[in-house]
């Protein structure tokens, strides 16, 4: 069971109108999420994960800096980066949200971080929508929490693409 804020973003993303399994960014209206807006971010998919386009004030305060242009993987401890990169790939490959649980040395409790894929204006699935949701109320930060450590990553809902199958011609596998 997820935090209500995490579930709100998952439900909102799932309700977005789309012609295919991944909705376009243009259909997402962040202001409809009200009090969650400071915890939202958008990022561009990149070969090594994602790069922030826009981040809410709560996220920038948590990390102690402006986030535009920052590689998302740079915010994670080295031992967590493979899991986080795999979560980004999974959300696009399966066309569904992925929730990660993270900790940081200077953070009370854990964070639920949900990411979901979006299509850009050219129709490419290359945008990431995300939300940081603290499991506990956080005090006003004076310093960054430090690197995040991923503890868990799980896909949410039914995958939007059919599972891969093998193809064969004359009994020989071709895909």
């Amino acid at each position: 069971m997820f935090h209500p804020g995490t579930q709100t973003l998952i439900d909102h993303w799932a309700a977005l109108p789309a012609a295919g399994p991944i909705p376009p960014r243009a259909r997402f209206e962040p202001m409809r999420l009200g009090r969650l807006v400071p915890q939202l971010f958008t990022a561009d998919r990149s070969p090594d994960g994602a790069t922030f386009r826009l981040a809410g004030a709560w996220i920038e305060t948590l990390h102690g800096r402006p986030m535009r242009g920052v590689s998302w993987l740079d915010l994670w401890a080295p031992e967590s980066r493979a899991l986080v990169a795999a979560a980004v790939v999974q959300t696009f490959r399966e066309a569904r949200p992925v929730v990660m649980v993270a900790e940081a040395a200077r953070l009370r409790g854990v964070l639920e971080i949900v990411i979901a894929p979006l299509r850009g204006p050219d129709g490419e699935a290359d945008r990431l929508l995300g939300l940081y949701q603290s499991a506990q109320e956080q005090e006003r930060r004076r310093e960054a929490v430090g690197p995040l450590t991923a503890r868990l990553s799980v896909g949410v809902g039914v995958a939007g693409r059919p599972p891969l199958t093998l193809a064969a011609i004359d009994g020989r596998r071709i895909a």
Side-chain angles (χ1 to χ4, degrees), residues 26-43:
R27 301 286 187 161
F28 174 67
E29 298 175 32
M31 298 314 286
R32 296 191 70 197
L33 293 173
R35 63 176 181 74
L36 295 176
V37 170
Q39 297 160 236
L40 291 173
F41 72 90
T42 59

Side-chain angles (χ1 to χ4, degrees), residues 16 28 66 92 113 125:
L16 290 173
F28 174 67
F92 284 100
I113 302 175

Side-chain angles (χ1 to χ4, degrees), residues 21-22 45 86-96 117 125 159-162 164:
I22 297 178
R45 187 176 186 188
V88 172
V89 169
Q90 179 183 3
T91 197
F92 284 100
R93 184 184 67 234
E94 296 178 2
R96 65 177 173 165
R161 292 187 176 174
L164 295 176

